[in-house]
Amino acid sequence: MTTLPRTAVDCARDMRRLPGLVVMDAALRAGARREDLLALIHLDPTGRGMRRALELATLADGGAESPQESALRFVLLRAGLPQPDTQVRVDSRLGTFWGDLGWERWRTLLEYDGRSKYTGREALIEEKRRHDAIVEAGWRILRVTKEDLRAPSALLTRVSRLLPADIQLTRRPYLRTG
């Protein structure tokens, strides 16, 4: 049995990048501290997979509430878009809502919609009211599904339409491969 940080680092160094990021995000969400992850990595920085673990520990975000939200963020980061914030606060006429991820400075939210989210008519109506209140508060929302994650180029085209044209892309060559 190992600690949560040790398990997360071991997984990140052995897994491909996307599953490794999902594990790192989940570890932070479960209470691991980034400092502890980095300390373990720095004990053996040249060991097998440690460079990948360091990259993923740096990008990890405990605000991701699901593997799909981590995957969405991974697609954005891989394309070079600025790091999105997770659990973005939106104050509206109906109260405070939290968007899955986005960029507050551009008032843009991305919401991952899984099939289980809309289990009945009432849930759909509540989500529509929430959506309208967020839009009325001056935000733009892009809904993302599992099909979108399977077509990242098309997804990135849709996301790019919501962002300023002069966005500076950040090269992250380490995310280009497994």
Side-chain angles (χ1 to χ4, degrees):
M1 192 144 133
T2 64
T3 64
L4 178 59
R6 173 85 270 162
T7 300
V9 168
D10 288 347
C11 288
R13 62 189 285 204
D14 291 334
M15 297 173 118
R16 296 180 58 86
R17 282 173 172 76
L18 174 54
L21 181 62
V22 169
V23 169
M24 284 285 193
D25 284 355
L28 292 178
R29 182 142 188 88
R33 297 177 332 134
R34 187 181 319 273
E35 300 79 30
D36 294 338
L37 298 171
L38 295 173
L40 286 168
I41 293 165
H42 290 303
L43 288 175
D44 183 19
T46 60
R48 181 186 51 79
M50 285 304 204
R51 185 171 138 204
R52 176 178 36 240
L54 176 60
E55 293 158 352
L56 296 176
T58 302
L59 294 175
D61 188 319
E65 293 184 331
S66 71
Q68 294 82 5
E69 289 178 27
S70 297
L72 174 55
R73 203 172 78 257
F74 182 83
V75 168
L76 301 173
L77 294 171
R78 188 175 204 166
L81 291 174
Q83 175 96 16
D85 302 312
T86 57
Q87 301 310 310
V88 180
R89 180 186 173 124
V90 178
D91 294 312
S92 78
R93 66 178 169 79
L94 295 179
T96 300
F97 295 110
W98 299 91
D100 292 337
L101 57 102
W103 299 273
E104 186 174 353
R105 64 184 172 245
W106 301 312
R107 297 181 75 79
T108 301
L109 294 177
L110 304 179
E111 289 280 293
Y112 183 83
D113 282 348
R115 300 294 191 272
S116 64
K117 185 174 187 176
Y118 304 109
T119 55
R121 184 170 187 232
E122 205 54 43
L124 185 60
I125 291 169
E126 281 305 308
E127 185 59 26
K128 177 64 177 137
R129 291 187 75 229
R130 176 183 180 272
H131 177 96
D132 288 350
I134 291 170
V135 170
E136 289 167 11
W139 290 78
R140 290 171 293 174
I141 301 174
L142 180 67
R143 302 226 171 249
V144 178
T145 64
K146 66 180 179 181
E147 291 81 9
D148 296 313
L149 292 177
R150 291 181 189 144
S153 295
L155 173 59
L156 290 166
T157 297
R158 292 175 58 215
V159 171
S160 296
R161 290 182 187 140
L162 298 178
L163 301 177
D166 63 345
I167 291 289
Q168 295 295 311
L169 299 181
T170 303
R171 270 191 90 239
R172 295 181 181 94
Y174 51 87
L175 290 182
R176 295 282 172 221
T177 59

